[in-house]
Amino acid sequence: METTMKKKGRGKATITSQKEEEGTVRKGPWTMEEDFILFNYILNHGEGLWNSVAKASGLKRTGKSCRLRWLNYLRPDVRRGNITAEEQLLIIQLHAKLGNRWSKIAKHLPGRTDNEIKNFWRTKIQRHMKVSSEHMMNHHCSGSQSSGMTTTDQGSSGKAIDMAESFSQAKTTFNVVEQSNENYWNVEDLWPVHLLNGDHHVI
DNA sequence: AAGGACAGCAACCGCAATATT
DNA sequence: AAATATTGCGGTTGCTGTCCT
């Protein structure tokens, strides 16, 4: 069954057909019904053993897919959207220290997922670095160790430190992203199930 | 209004690490 | 100790909305 998305559809939509063959592994965006099933299953049985979750819940998803969906979206403590200036600064500092260890960085940002931080880094920070790099190249072409910032992650850490410093002074110029916090449906929509079950052994 | 370019992000893939048999 | 299964992580893809011309 394909649930219509409330908002903008995103991500891959590998399988969109209404009828799916028996035993076929589903890919692509999760439907609300799938979210509901997974959410409910984990509330009753707990996290982990993702392959079992996938099979026992009846979802035609891989264990990996279930795990990812839970961690990045359904988990009740997940905070979504609106990465604050402080969080941005922390991400920059941690990345300078840890590199692309997104899960490690995420541990320092309660409620944020590695995927979200990774996406944020790639879409915002890297782009900003690239832009400022080009800007500097245009204005300081005259020799003296022009900071030819690469857009790759490697070698960006040192620059990130500089950036963090300037960033703390000029948050406003950083173009802090205020994203829409809407989703196809809110995780909160699933919470009544939690309450009905009266099952709190997870989370 | 049309459509091309760009941005944002959910979700997949491949691989490495770890656990289990 | 070796083989197999599972989990976790980082990189990448590709769909959709928005902006710009």
Side-chain angles (χ1 to χ4, degrees), chain A residues 97-203:
Chain A
K97 197 161 69 178
L98 302 170
N100 292 1
R101 305 286 168 221
W102 305 116
S103 60
K104 298 255 190 311
I105 294 172
K107 285 189 173 71
H108 291 80
L109 292 138
R112 299 297 184 186
T113 67
D114 55 351
N115 207 33
E116 188 176 15
I117 293 168
K118 181 173 58 181
N119 280 332
F120 171 75
W121 182 268
R122 289 186 61 80
T123 58
K124 302 291 182 334
I125 309 291
Q126 272 191 9
R127 202 168 70 85
H128 179 83
M129 283 181 170
K130 188 182 175 189
V131 168
S132 53
S133 165
E134 284 164 2
H135 187 260
M136 286 174 81
M137 289 292 270
N138 288 339
H139 289 80
H140 306 288
C141 277
S142 53
S144 71
Q145 61 159 15
S146 66
S147 66
M149 250 184 247
T150 63
T151 55
T152 59
D153 293 335
Q154 297 84 0
S156 64
S157 297
K159 307 296 177 190
I161 295 171
D162 296 341
M163 195 176 149
E165 286 166 4
S166 59
F167 174 67
S168 59
Q169 298 166 353
K171 284 174 187 170
T172 49
T173 64
F174 190 74
N175 193 17
V176 173
V177 198
E178 297 298 333
Q179 298 167 335
S180 160
N181 207 17
E182 296 174 67
N183 287 301
Y184 315 140
W185 50 84
N186 289 326
V187 175
E188 287 74 19
D189 295 343
L190 299 172
W191 274 103
V193 180
H194 180 201
L195 298 174
L196 278 172
N197 285 336
D199 189 337
H200 305 294
H201 69 274
V202 188
I203 305 113

Side-chain angles (χ1 to χ4, degrees), chain A residues 72-85:
Chain A
N72 290 334
Y73 193 87
L74 294 176
R75 228 176 43 183
D77 59 332
V78 164
R79 291 170 61 202
R80 305 183 62 74
N82 296 333
I83 289 182
T84 65

